[in-house]
Amino acid sequence: MGYQSPKFRESLWCVVGLGLWLTVTSLFIGFRPEHVVMALVISSLFFALPASRRLVVALLPFILFGISYDWMNLLPNYEVNPIDVKGLYDTEKELFGIAGSEGVLLTPNEYWAQHRSGVMDFMAGIFYLCWVPLPIFYGLWLYFSGKTKWYLHFAVVFLLVNLLGFAGYYIHPAAPPWYVALHGFEAVTGTPGDVAGLGAFDEMTGLGIFNSLYARNANVFAAMPSLHSAYTFVAFIYSLRAGSSAVWKLILGIVTLGIWFTAVYTSHHYVLDVLGGIGVSLLGYALFEYVLMRIPAFKRWMERYAGYVEVKRN
């Protein structure tokens, strides 16, 4: 078979969608090299082959996740509601406080800052490196294994959980534990991101991965809920629903628990933030599976979506 170009309507959707994204981004956020790379990759895959076109459409929930995360720079959350610095800290200490060596009550973050180890520092870095790549890799495994339905359920819930979490950032802007340790209880907008406890992994390996990532964090007041704690948990839920192998369930389960611990151990999140991430994961899952999927029109749309992106096998 020769080359099969996309239908005119498909091409129009792609061009208009990319044009809208690039226009808004350039006008209100500013171009970065990755924007150009992303646009080129998406357009190349879309117009190259039917199989790569289906893949791009299948990956749309993850693409929208990246765009929506970037577009939060259009309106910083601290311009919408007051920043919670001390309230969250005091509540964390009240609910989960640990007595220190001199009887002083510490948050779990403060406790672990005094009880670090090289092994935990290394494993913390490994776990945190998995927070987005592992769920996406699991999703691709579902997709190319022919489990299109479960892939799309997972991908759409992944996007929905992010949107719920982003809404939470605007409803309740909150400072992470490391901010209190470095800057106290006064909320100062424009404070740069900090690698916090993950810096030990960078020093140990010499890679500088987390320093590079967190140096570009434009808004540090987005700690509640912890979406770090949500992503692999959502993947774990769907590894159970999709009947994935015991290996997948074990990997996702261990990494999820590891990320929950790491979030607190490295002072990037409070226990309350982690619970918030777990809660928003369960909420997104329940809204999709037990509300949206019971709406006939939405269910039919999901079936058409699955039919369009399904991997064609010879």
Side-chain angles (χ1 to χ4, degrees):
M1 290 182 65
Y3 170 73
Q4 296 179 8
S5 62
K7 297 177 182 178
F8 174 76
R9 188 173 65 174
E10 295 172 326
S11 301
L12 185 63
W13 273 109
C14 180
V15 172
V16 171
L18 286 174
L20 176 63
W21 164 54
L22 293 174
T23 300
V24 172
T25 301
S26 62
L27 289 177
F28 300 103
I29 297 174
F31 258 149
R32 297 193 302 272
E34 57 263 36
H35 292 137
V36 178
V37 171
M38 185 175 173
L40 289 174
V41 169
I42 291 172
S43 57
S44 297
L45 289 174
F46 187 85
F47 289 101
L49 297 167
S52 60
R53 185 178 314 125
R54 289 192 294 270
L55 177 60
V56 168
V57 177
L59 289 173
L60 193 57
F62 293 104
I63 295 170
L64 292 176
F65 150 65
I67 292 173
S68 60
Y69 179 83
D70 195 32
W71 277 10
M72 283 196 294
N73 290 304
L74 293 169
L75 178 64
N77 64 339
Y78 50 75
E79 293 184 5
V80 177
N81 279 308
I83 300 167
D84 182 356
V85 182
K86 193 172 190 301
L88 198 57
Y89 173 88
D90 288 341
T91 305
E92 177 83 359
K93 185 176 285 189
E94 180 181 349
L95 294 177
F96 305 108
I98 301 171
S101 57
E102 298 179 1
V104 178
L105 198 62
L106 306 172
T107 65
N109 314 95
E110 293 168 334
Y111 173 83
W112 283 114
Q114 298 177 7
H115 297 81
R116 304 188 68 85
S117 79
V119 172
M120 290 195 293
D121 288 341
F122 180 77
M123 290 307 301
I126 296 298
F127 285 131
Y128 244 48
L129 286 174
C130 294
W131 71 290
V132 168
L134 183 60
I136 292 177
F137 184 75
Y138 171 68
L140 290 172
W141 179 84
L142 283 176
Y143 178 68
F144 286 110
S145 296
K147 297 185 177 183
T148 310
K149 169 194 168 182
W150 289 118
Y151 162 74
L152 285 180
H153 280 226
F154 163 63
V156 174
V157 170
F158 183 92
L159 174 61
L160 180 58
V161 167
N162 273 286
L163 296 178
L164 290 170
F166 296 164
Y169 294 162
Y170 284 92
I171 294 169
H172 184 244
W178 63 258
Y179 180 91
V180 174
L182 292 179
H183 306 290
F185 296 114
E186 182 181 358
V188 180
T189 59
T191 301
D194 192 89
V195 73
L198 291 169
F201 180 85
D202 279 353
E203 294 175 7
M204 187 181 301
T205 61
L207 297 175
I209 296 173
F210 293 109
N211 273 296
S212 175
L213 287 174
Y214 284 98
R216 299 173 58 182
N217 186 3
N219 180 13
V220 304
F221 302 114
M224 167 63 88
S226 166
L227 289 178
H228 287 95
S229 303
Y231 295 161
T232 57
F233 182 46
V234 174
F236 175 71
I237 291 173
Y238 277 98
S239 73
L240 301 178
R241 287 295 307 271
S244 298
S245 68
V247 173
W248 266 119
K249 295 171 186 174
L250 185 64
I251 291 173
L252 289 168
I254 290 173
V255 171
T256 296
L257 292 174
I259 288 175
W260 291 352
F261 173 75
T262 296
V264 178
Y265 175 75
T266 60
S267 286
H268 278 279
H269 290 284
Y270 294 111
V271 174
L272 288 168
D273 301 336
V274 173
L275 293 175
I278 296 170
V280 81
S281 300
L282 295 173
L283 176 60
Y285 169 78
L287 283 175
F288 179 82
E289 295 291 353
Y290 301 110
V291 178
L292 293 176
M293 286 301 293
R294 293 187 179 182
I295 300 172
F298 183 83
K299 186 176 180 180
R300 288 194 299 270
W301 179 82
M302 285 294 297
E303 290 171 351
R304 290 197 301 271
Y305 192 178
Y308 182 90
V309 303
E310 186 176 6
V311 175
K312 309 300 181 184
R313 302 184 184 278
N314 296 325

